[in-house]
Amino acid sequence: MSNEPHGLARNASNYGDRELALYLRRSFAASMGYSRDALSRRTVGIADTASDLNNCHRSIPDLIEAVKRGVMLEGGLPLAFPTVSLCEPSLTPCSMHFRNLMALDTEAMVSAQPLDSVVLVGGCDKTVPAQLMAAISADVPAVMLVTGPMSANRYMGERLAACTDCRRFWSQYRAGNVSAERIAVIEEQLAATAGTCGVMGTASTMACVVAALGFMPLEGASAPAVHADRLRIAEAAGRLCMSKTLRRPSEVMSLKALENGMRVILALGGSTNAVVHLAAIAGRAGLEFDLKRFDAMSDETPVLVDLKPTGDGYMEDFHYAGGMRALLWELRDLLHLDATDYEGRTLGERIGAEAPWVDRAYIRARETPVSAVGGLVTLYGSLAPDGAILKRSAATPSLFEHEAECLVFDGLEDLAARIDGDDLPVTPNTILILKNAGPLSPYGMPEAGHLPIPQKLARAGVKDMVRMSDCRMSGTAYGTVVLHIAPEAAAGGPLALVESGDRVRLSIKNRSLDLLVDEATLAARRARWSPRARPARGWDRLVHDQVLQAPRGADLRFLTASGE
Ligand code: FES
């Protein structure tokens, strides 16, 4: 047995007298009413991200009670502590701008406090990747716990759940097909229970990926937020954290685990954002998310899950259809079944030897996939020398091969000011481009890549157009949308040089994205380009100085495993 200090004896404050430090720590902890017995136990930290500004986390107080119960059933001392919490629509310029801040905060608190292990309780889009990035960097034994998806509402004969339905109704409202009165009513019906967005958006995709990587039980990815199973999963997480054999993230995160995570994103028809987050998670472990390998995997990995925004179902349907176990069973010949989880169990053992029960309405067989190929592709070319992403499972096949003049918006203010103008020089064939919205831009890579269809075209019935940008798109959105163009415009990538009227060519068949402008013209534009001013202070300045491009997960350089 290890002689390493445990519980409150771990990570003593440094006064130059360790015994004094521990005496003071016990004394102050005793002021909270703990007995000497309680203070002698192993400690399990619980990262508490409940916040009045985070609706997706509103069930966290109940989950923490259940985690504590699990810890105490095993004889440990549970200690919840607050960290940064991020809710997708609650932050400006966007939640992505603060994902690395949450990771930095969580890593520091997990590393510095007297914790033998930790349960990281998250759920909303950025919180789960931030917590796993933190856990990997801190390398403290950890179990991930998510709040789980919201349940779909019933409204006038329809099922509704954030947020594919939000976008569908908003598009209809913009096109003049839904009244202001009706959109106001719908606003209150889109997210009717606790939990994260109820479709295969970023939060759901990341929960499934984290389970596949081995940081969470498989059923933990999809059990609905309001189901009693969710509380039992929380209790089990507390018990797990008391296991002496709980492994450190560095023992779980491997290239095989990473490739399993990549496979799962593809088979889910998962969110494009998961690519950025998994790249950042990989970077914390000293691994590389290889976009070309991901693209090759996409051609051999069918989409098997029939959920919005790609298909029809909601996350609760996925769960009741068999969830991750059923999905991984279908994919088993494409997975590294010897990758191991937090307990050292192989993925093959976790899936089991028997075919699980499955509802084929939502989790298809390999012979009858939703799509024979994976949901995402990567593109390279003169407009994206370091790559870009497109969700082909949510795109319009007639736009897969498309060459046209582009219309450029320089930043979000320009987009908002002009997109709905009656005189906007645009046809359904025009390629809409948004530049200067990447991770280095003042906008911080928001989910603005799903540019609205210009109102005059939306009213004429246009549902999709080719759109391109260096920012992201909500995992709940759909359309022929090229994202994460790298290098971004703010870093001086070719995107910075694009002007309205240039011809651009997208070819999904060739995986290419090209700017059809001669080199002399581009050289003249490059000579006129200048980088944005360095922010004066604070977090914005640190991001400006350190943020990496999308293919490296938009992490901060000094927080990656190599620091480079
Ligand atoms: Fe939190 Fe969608 S806004 S998961």
Side-chain angles (χ1 to χ4, degrees), residues 54-56 86-89 123-125 150 162-163 195-197 203-204 476:
N54 195 340
N55 58 286
C56 304
L86 306 173
C87 183
E88 194 53 37
C124 194
D125 291 14
M150 66 177 66
C163 206
T196 49
C197 286
S204 301
T476 61

Side-chain angles (χ1 to χ4, degrees), residues 117-183:
S117 57
V118 65
V119 181
L120 297 154
V121 192
C124 194
D125 291 14
K126 306 303 174 295
T127 63
V128 175
Q131 290 181 323
L132 186 51
M133 289 159 71
I136 290 171
S137 295
D139 208 23
V140 169
V143 174
M144 304 284 291
L145 172 67
V146 296
T147 54
M150 66 177 66
S151 299
N153 193 10
R154 299 285 197 281
Y155 171 72
M156 292 179 70
E158 281 199 70
R159 293 173 76 200
L160 297 182
C163 206
T164 304
D165 296 320
C166 320
R167 293 172 194 284
R168 177 166 58 89
F169 279 110
W170 192 252
S171 298
Q172 291 175 17
Y173 170 63
R174 280 179 54 79
N177 299 327
V178 166
S179 68
E181 294 72 33
R182 184 143 190 257
I183 201 83

